[in-house]
Amino acid sequence: MNVRVVVAAAIVVDGRLLLAQRRRPAELEGLWELPGGKVEAGETPTDALRRELREELDIETEAGERIGVEVPLADGLVLRAYLTELVSGTPRALDHAAIGWFSAAELPAVDLVPNDRMWLPELERALRAS
Ligand code: DCP
C-alpha cells in the first residue's frame, strides 16, 4: 500500500512556537497542532508544507530539517514534523479557530492534539535553542 504523508511545521520566532487550534473533526476540535496537512499527488513533502501554510495561514515559509519521530496515523498515513522558517507574512487563521505563539515554559500546559505530543521534547529543545 502507498504510504501517504502528512506534514506539520514547527515555526519558532523570538522564542515562541506557532500553534493553530483545530476546528475539526469533533474529536480534535479546540486542540492545538503544528499546522500542516496531507501531501498531495505529485508534491514533495516540503512543497506540500509550503502550500498548506500559504492556504491555512497566509504565510510564505521554507521547510528545514525534520524533527522528532514519524507518527503512524490511521488509513496508512504517517505524520512528520519539520522545523520551518517563516520567510514572510503574518500568520492568520484562515482555516483554524485561532493561532497562538507559545514559549517553552507554556508548551507543556497547551492542549495539543495527541499525535503532536510525541514531539514535545524536540519542540522544547528548539524553543530553548532559539
Ligand atoms: N494531524 C495531526 N497533527 C498535525 C497535523 C495533522 O495529528 N500537526 C492529523 C490530523 C488528521 C491528519 O493528520 O488526522 C490530516 O490532517 P489535516 O486534516 O489537517 O490534513 P488536511 O488539511 O490535508 O486534510 P483535509 O484537506 O482532508 O481536510
Side-chain angles (χ1 to χ4, degrees), residues 60-84:
E60 294 301 318
T61 58
E62 193 60 53
E65 67 177 85
R66 273 196 51 202
I67 56 161
V69 294
E70 192 170 79
V71 184
L73 306 178
D75 305 323
L77 292 169
V78 295
L79 175 65
R80 288 183 194 162
Y82 290 81
L83 281 181
T84 301

Side-chain angles (χ1 to χ4, degrees), residues 23 25-26 34 36 51 61 63 67 75 79 92 96 113 116 123:
R23 285 188 196 278
L34 299 190
R51 174 184 53 72
T61 58
I67 56 161
D75 305 323
L79 175 65
R92 38 196 201 107
H96 289 86
V113 299
D116 296 24
L123 293 172

Side-chain angles (χ1 to χ4, degrees), residues 7-13 16-18 34-35 46 49-50 53 61-68 80-87 119 121-130:
V7 288
I11 298 175
V12 174
V13 176
R16 288 174 186 268
L17 175 70
L18 177 64
L34 299 190
T46 55
L49 199 55
R50 197 178 307 115
L53 297 171
T61 58
E62 193 60 53
E65 67 177 85
R66 273 196 51 202
I67 56 161
R80 288 183 194 162
Y82 290 81
L83 281 181
T84 301
E85 187 190 350
L86 176 58
V87 174
W119 301 324
E122 290 81 10
L123 293 172
E124 288 182 30
R125 202 173 308 136
L127 282 164
R128 295 193 194 280
S130 72

